[in-house]
Amino acid sequence: MVEATLALIDGKWKGVILSHLLEGTLRFSELRRRMPGVTQRMLTNQLRELEADGLIDRTIHAQVPPRVDYSLTERGHSLREVLDALRLWGEIHIGLFAQPKAAA
Amino acid sequence: MVEATLALIDGKWKGVILSHLLEGTLRFSELRRRMPGVTQRMLTNQLRELEADGLIDRTIHAQVPPRVDYSLTERGHSLREVLDALRLWGEIHIGLFAQPKAAA
DNA sequence: CTGTATCCCTAGGGATACTG
DNA sequence: CAGTATCCCTAGGGATACAG
């Protein structure tokens, strides 16, 4: 079951996308700006996969210029604890205050 | 930071390996038996990466036939909460009692 | 602005055979 | 038993250009 959950949030950018969407709804361009390094193709790609997995909603506003909003579904929000656990661990064990790997 | 943590447990078999080692020390062949589908190459490979990341210890017993034990380091044990969070989420949202994705 | 469509390239994995 | 050593193959990603 661990693997199954990992499968949903694996993908180079999914963790980051989800983290940003935890803060609230964002449009495509806003996500891009928050994620330097991601290409349009990849961002679209990962968003589509997250959508297919029922973790995010995609709302298209019929406007010119176009506007598309992305937000977490209930299922997506339920991942908050998981994401928090991952982030917290990272901050403690990889971040600034990380202990040296081992005193061997 | 989420990505950094994910990087450590990503890899097709790492999550499973860590889960098994949470139960206690296991030797190579025991891990293999608990993981049908993994090849020697992959198991060795993933174990080496986990070792390099300081998550597991590898203890060689000079015997004939050879015996190698794998166990979690302190750092590895500290991942328990993360792994639990992942497993729990999976059981609830993907397992038997999972809700349908959405009533659309 | 929000995407597709191509092309390309590498790392991750699998199958299989061999070894100390 | 516990690994290497090869070979091969695909999916995941990146760059770039084009489109509604």
Side-chain angles (χ1 to χ4, degrees), chain B residues 38-69:
Chain B
V38 73
T39 62
Q40 290 162 324
R41 186 175 112 71
M42 266 303 112
L43 183 52
T44 303
N45 185 299
Q46 304 276 293
L47 285 169
R48 289 294 136 81
E49 291 190 15
L50 290 171
E51 191 190 0
D53 288 328
L55 296 177
I56 65 175
D57 274 331
R58 178 162 173 267
T59 310
I60 307 171
H61 300 274
Q63 308 179 350
V64 177
R67 171 196 181 118
V68 180
D69 286 339

